[in-house]
């Protein structure tokens, strides 16, 4: 299978979508088997003619005789997920930025309340599966990109999230949750309620994953792990190592040695 990650061509979509990739079945293509690590994106994956099973921290994809589209959403995971394909498939996957999907789906809370350890089927619009099928059936990558972006642009809903956007900005710049709540004249309890309802996780979990992902993004510039831990807003190196072990099941040294971090999708192929 061949994979290429794209950032949105549309400047408007860039505010809400980090990027997307297509996997295409090709002659001589091999199935994928990899670990993916926690992030704060909402991930929507659309596949042709497959069945998907999920248990705790593991997804298995295999070919199905049914000629149909299957789509799932992943909005939360706090440890690595092992993903294995029995055979090559046609797939497109979209990474929505935090809050991003809320501007396209009327009630994303219907998905965020579902058990994140099980398959969450994603079918938010009447025309969703038909349009995704048309896109995956195209042989021209440029046409796929154009139609995919036009489709999501057509679903945009103008919503007001200025308070939550300000809260996210405060947490991502290492503001303490109590202080961020106080600055925005709300209680910590209400702040967490906003996070659970609109992002599907607590503010503390969001912050921990953001620190982890920040350290990955900065690793190419900062080689020293002690310095990296401070630049990524960890309290100290022991805090850095502890969170890494919880989120990746590896020490930072082992993780950075074995995982290609200069790719848009940070996977460990197995």
């Amino acid at each position: 299978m061949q994979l290429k990650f794209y950032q949105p061509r549309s400047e408007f979509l860039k505010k809400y979508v980090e990027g997307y990739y297509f996997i295409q079945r090709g002659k001589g293509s091999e199935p994928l088997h990899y670990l993916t690590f926690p992030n704060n994106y909402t991930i929507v994956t659309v596949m042709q003619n497959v069945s998907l099973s999920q248990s705790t921290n593991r997804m298995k994809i295999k070919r199905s005789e049914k000629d149909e589209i299957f789509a799932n959403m992943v909005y939360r995971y706090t440890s690595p997920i092992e993903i294995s394909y029995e055979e090559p498939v046609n797939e497109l996957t979209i990474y929505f930025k935090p809050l991003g999907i809320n501007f396209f789906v009327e009630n994303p809370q219907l998905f965020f309340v579902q058990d994140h350890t099980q398959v969450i089927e994603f079918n938010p619009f009447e025309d969703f599966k038909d349009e995704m099928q048309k896109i995956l059936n195209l042989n021209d990558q440029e046409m796929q990109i154009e139609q995919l972006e036009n489709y999501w642009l057509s679903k945009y809903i103008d919503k007001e999230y200025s308070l939550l956007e300000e809260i996210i900005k405060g947490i991502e710049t290492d503001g303490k949750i109590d202080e961020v709540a106080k600055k925005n004249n709300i209680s910590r309890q209400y702040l967490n309620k906003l996070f659970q309802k609109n992002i599907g996780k607590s503010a503390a979990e969001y912050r921990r994953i953001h620190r982890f992902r920040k350290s990955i993004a900065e690793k190419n510039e900062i080689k020293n792990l002690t310095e990296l831990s401070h630049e990524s807003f960890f309290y100290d190196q022991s805090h850095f190592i502890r969170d890494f072990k919880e989120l990746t099941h590896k020490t930072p040294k082992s993780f950075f040695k074995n995982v290609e971090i200069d790719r848009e999708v940070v996977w460990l192929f197995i």
Side-chain angles (χ1 to χ4, degrees):
M1 289 187 283
Q2 299 175 340
L3 181 153
K4 184 174 181 180
F5 192 88
Y6 298 90
Q7 291 186 324
R9 307 282 175 85
S10 163
E11 291 297 322
F12 186 82
L13 279 181
K14 285 180 180 179
K15 181 178 178 182
Y16 309 102
V17 177
E18 178 68 20
Y20 47 84
Y21 63 79
F22 297 87
I23 294 176
Q24 295 180 311
R25 296 176 65 203
K27 187 175 181 180
S29 60
E30 296 292 332
L32 290 172
H33 188 196
Y34 62 89
L35 292 176
T36 181
F37 302 95
N39 60 58
N40 283 323
Y41 300 129
T42 298
I43 303 170
V44 172
T45 298
V46 183
M47 295 171 281
Q48 278 185 319
N49 312 336
V50 303
S51 65
L52 172 65
S53 60
Q54 181 173 351
S55 57
T56 304
N57 299 328
R58 186 172 185 183
M59 286 187 184
K60 192 171 185 178
I61 298 110
K62 60 182 181 179
R63 293 276 297 164
S64 169
E65 296 302 318
K66 294 181 179 179
D67 183 17
E68 61 182 10
I69 288 289
F70 181 84
N72 76 296
M73 173 201 274
V74 174
Y75 69 86
R76 182 187 178 212
Y77 57 112
T78 56
S79 58
I81 297 179
E82 180 182 349
I83 300 180
S84 61
Y85 296 74
E86 286 193 351
E87 298 178 59
V89 301
N90 288 333
E91 171 189 314
L92 70 87
T93 293
I94 308 166
Y95 285 67
F96 287 91
K97 294 180 179 181
L99 275 184
I101 201 165
N102 301 47
F103 289 90
F104 301 91
V105 176
E106 188 66 48
N107 294 305
Q109 295 81 16
L110 296 176
F111 299 100
F112 293 147
V113 297
Q114 295 186 46
D115 183 353
H116 68 278
T117 67
Q118 302 299 315
V119 175
I120 299 174
E121 187 168 357
F122 185 75
N123 188 22
F125 318 113
E126 287 186 4
D127 65 346
F128 180 72
K129 288 189 175 182
D130 286 343
E131 293 303 313
M132 294 301 104
Q133 183 80 280
K134 290 176 185 176
I135 290 168
L136 286 173
N137 281 337
L138 292 170
N139 294 320
D140 186 304
Q141 193 88 93
E142 291 299 316
M143 289 183 65
Q144 285 183 313
I145 292 170
E146 180 180 352
Q147 291 195 22
L148 179 67
E149 294 197 10
N150 286 341
Y151 180 76
W152 284 104
L153 286 168
S154 75
K155 300 300 182 183
Y156 176 75
I157 307 166
D158 190 14
K159 294 183 182 180
E160 173 56 50
Y161 284 109
S162 57
L163 173 60
L164 195 46
E165 288 171 344
E166 191 65 26
I167 291 168
I168 290 171
K169 187 185 300 182
I171 289 174
E172 288 186 349
T173 52
D174 202 36
K176 294 182 179 178
I177 295 172
D178 286 336
E179 293 175 356
V180 172
K182 185 177 180 180
K183 181 180 178 181
N184 288 279
N185 300 310
I186 59 175
S187 67
R188 179 173 179 143
Q189 182 181 18
Y190 183 64
L191 183 152
N192 268 315
K193 185 177 179 180
L194 287 175
F195 261 79
Q196 293 286 4
K197 179 180 178 181
N198 295 288
I199 299 179
K201 66 190 68 172
S202 69
E205 184 178 312
Y206 181 96
R207 185 186 190 191
R208 185 162 66 112
I209 292 173
H210 178 74
R211 284 172 172 162
F212 161 64
R213 284 285 169 169
K214 181 175 171 63
S215 72
I216 293 175
E218 294 185 352
K219 180 61 173 67
N220 284 329
E221 301 297 325
I222 304 172
K223 303 301 182 183
N224 182 278
L225 291 183
T226 301
E227 183 182 351
L228 181 63
S229 67
H230 290 300
E231 288 297 321
S232 303
F233 304 140
F234 290 92
Y235 303 127
D236 52 36
Q237 192 166 2
S238 63
H239 177 213
F240 177 54
I241 293 170
R242 184 175 67 250
D243 273 12
F244 245 81
K245 285 182 176 179
E246 290 180 5
L247 294 170
T248 70
H249 297 172
K250 299 180 181 299
T251 63
K253 184 176 181 180
S254 175
F255 179 87
F256 289 122
K257 180 181 179 181
N258 292 287
V259 179
E260 295 185 53
I261 61 170
D262 56 349
R263 295 173 177 263
E264 293 92 343
V265 287
V266 179
W267 294 345
L268 174 59
F269 291 94
I270 52 181

